[in-house]
Each structure stands twice: as C-alpha cells, then as structure tokens.
Amino acid sequence: MAKSRITGVILFLLGIAIYLFSGSYGMLCILAAGIVILAGGAFYTWLSGKALETEVHFPENGEKESSTEGTLRISNASWLPVLKAVCHLNWENRLTGEHGEKKIILAVPGRASAETALQMTTSFSGAYEFEVEKLEIRDACSVFRKKMQTSATAETIILPDITEVEVDALKAEAYDMESFQYSSLQKGEDAGETFQLRNYMPGDSMKQVHWKLSAKLDELTVREASYPVYDAILVFMETGFEENMPQPEDLDKQMSRTLSVLKSLLDAHVT
C-alpha cells in the first residue's frame, strides 16, 4: 500500500511539473481527473465494507505431512461491493509455539459472499489456531484503506504418530486394602474376591477349600484370595517453557511418546 501511495505522489508531482513547463491544458485535465478519481476512491472506501462478516473453517483434525484444507469466507450484507478486502490471517501451533501470518485479498460483491480455499501442510503435530483479527477495506489502487475490527477463529488438531509401547514395562500396582480393584498378576489375602480356583495342594489351609465346588467336582478345590491394588497412573507432559523453548521436532516427538504410553495403558485397562 505504501508503494502505491509513493507511486501516486510521484506521478502527480510529475504531472504538475509537466503542466508548469508546458502549460498544456490536456495535462491539467488529466490532473483534475486524477484528483476526482482519488477523492471518489477515498469516499467509496469510507462508505463501503460496513456490513462484513468473516468466517474461518477448518476440519476438527488432520494428519502430519498431509494437506489440511479449510476456507475463509467474507459475507457482505450491504448493497455496495467491496473492491478489496484484505484479511490478515494469523496462525499458531499451541504445542510448538510456531506462528505466522498470511495476507489474503478478496473482492466481495454486494449482498453476497466471497470464499477462498486455505491449505496447510505441516510436519509437526499440535493444536493449530487460526484467527482473523484485522480486516482492511481498500480502493482499487490500494491508495486508501479503512481498518476494521473483526473476530473469526478456527482450530484443527494435527494428530501425532502413535506407536506400540511394551505394556509389561508400564504395569505398576500398589497395595490398597480399601480398593475395589484387584491384581490380575498375584494372589493376596482379601477373601472378598477370588483370584483363582485350583486343585488342592498339600500345605493349603482348609479354610481355602471351596466345599460346594469340591462336592460338584468330586475333588478338593481351593479358592485363592485376591490382592487389592491401586493401579491408577498419572502421566505428565511438560509444555510450560518460559524460555529456551525446545525445537518443534522435539515437542512433536514428546507428544507422540506421551500419547503412545497413554494408549498402551488404556489397552492394558490401566486407568
């Protein structure tokens, strides 16, 4: 826009110089027409764009290294067309801290809307937030502009890679006599729940004999008590860095490993 203004001023001064040296009425008419056009552009810029609505849309999630497509739509409720609507689209990955801005220019007819496609391809996972905070209305030559406040946001989640993690290495149980959960790996002394049934072995207490089942099977069967445990696990991922922010690829790997661990725990019924 500054370039357009500088170019216009140079041409206007050049026209005045030509008129002063030549006295040409044709050049005077051109200068007068230019002033009228500029005044009309300024007035139209001020008058148009008073009923615009901005929308940004992206899918809920996407994949790394794949194109995630969204749309930017500007609706005009006024009868006056907008010659140039300049949107400043800001984006940020809230996991890695990456951010940027993209300038998009659209012409919006009166009582209609204009739409453009947005595409994003990234190598890193995270929550990507898109926001249009600033909207500019310009004339055809981008000499005059009018700033407008708008608010349009969208968010998409780029999913991390999830790999298999050895579940046995993650299994952790602690004894809790008041727990209603029981270990599937070892027996205990809580007779309120049966760990397993097995044949009687010399040395077993007669209190462990399941008499009703033994009578049906016609052999002594022992009921082993269960071991009450507390197996809830808290998994933390560090995301709050005041300074020395890790590289995006490191945070992406950290997110991938964290979710891989969580999935393995859920598959093992550890909550």
Side-chain angles (χ1 to χ4, degrees):
M1 182 172 177
K3 184 178 179 180
S4 300
R5 289 181 175 179
I6 293 172
T7 302
V9 170
I10 292 174
L11 292 175
F12 185 72
L13 293 176
L14 182 61
I16 292 177
I18 293 174
Y19 170 71
L20 292 176
F21 281 101
S22 66
S24 171
Y25 287 103
M27 181 55 66
L28 182 61
C29 292
I30 292 175
L31 290 173
I35 292 174
V36 171
I37 291 173
L38 288 175
F43 179 73
Y44 191 85
T45 301
W46 172 81
L47 196 62
S48 63
K50 294 184 177 182
L52 295 182
E53 183 178 348
T54 309
E55 301 174 66
V56 183
H57 297 283
F58 268 93
E60 290 186 2
N61 52 64
E63 297 181 355
K64 297 194 300 182
E65 308 295 349
S66 298
S67 177
T68 303
E69 298 185 353
T71 57
L72 171 66
R73 179 195 297 265
I74 301 179
S75 302
N76 185 8
S78 171
W79 290 102
L80 290 176
V82 175
L83 303 180
K84 280 186 179 180
V86 182
C87 288
H88 296 267
L89 178 65
N90 300 309
W91 64 271
E92 180 182 9
N93 184 338
R94 293 190 295 185
L95 172 66
T96 64
E98 298 172 283
H99 62 276
E101 180 180 340
K102 184 176 183 180
K103 185 170 69 174
I104 302 170
I105 301 176
L106 291 174
V108 188
R111 304 289 291 179
S113 61
E115 184 175 292
T116 186
L118 303 173
Q119 287 189 339
M120 181 191 71
T121 303
T122 180
S123 301
F124 308 121
S125 61
Y128 284 80
E129 187 176 73
F130 302 87
E131 183 175 13
V132 178
E133 289 184 342
K134 187 169 60 175
L135 181 65
E136 294 181 1
I137 307 301
R138 298 183 182 180
D139 64 301
C141 299
S142 294
V143 176
F144 302 100
R145 68 176 177 180
K146 178 177 64 175
K147 294 183 179 180
M148 301 181 62
Q149 293 297 322
T150 185
S151 179
T153 60
E155 184 178 276
T156 186
I157 305 295
I158 301 300
L159 303 175
D161 299 323
I162 297 180
T163 58
E164 293 294 330
V165 177
E166 182 63 37
V167 175
D168 291 340
L170 299 170
K171 194 69 177 178
E173 297 179 337
Y175 176 75
D176 184 357
M177 63 179 299
E178 296 182 355
S179 175
F180 292 99
Q181 295 180 326
Y182 299 91
S183 174
S184 60
L185 303 177
Q186 61 177 316
K187 62 182 179 179
E189 298 179 354
D190 189 340
E193 186 74 16
T194 300
F195 175 70
Q196 69 175 359
L197 297 171
R198 61 173 177 80
N199 292 334
Y200 176 84
M201 298 176 63
D204 287 338
S205 171
M206 297 305 292
K207 294 181 179 180
Q208 293 180 264
V209 175
H210 195 304
W211 295 107
K212 184 179 292 187
L213 185 59
S214 297
K216 290 183 179 180
L217 298 177
D218 199 23
E219 60 179 345
L220 288 179
T221 302
V222 172
R223 177 172 59 187
E224 291 186 333
S226 290
Y227 185 76
V229 295
Y230 177 79
D231 62 356
I233 295 178
L234 295 177
V235 179
F236 294 93
M237 175 179 168
E238 180 61 66
T239 59
F241 300 95
E242 295 182 0
E243 54 185 22
N244 299 325
M245 188 77 173
Q247 295 297 316
E249 55 266 25
D250 295 330
L251 287 168
D252 178 66
K253 291 178 182 178
Q254 184 177 344
M255 175 61 76
S256 177
R257 290 168 182 168
T258 301
L259 292 184
S260 297
V261 169
L262 290 174
K263 182 178 183 301
S264 296
L265 289 172
L266 290 174
D267 291 343
H269 305 290
V270 179
T271 58

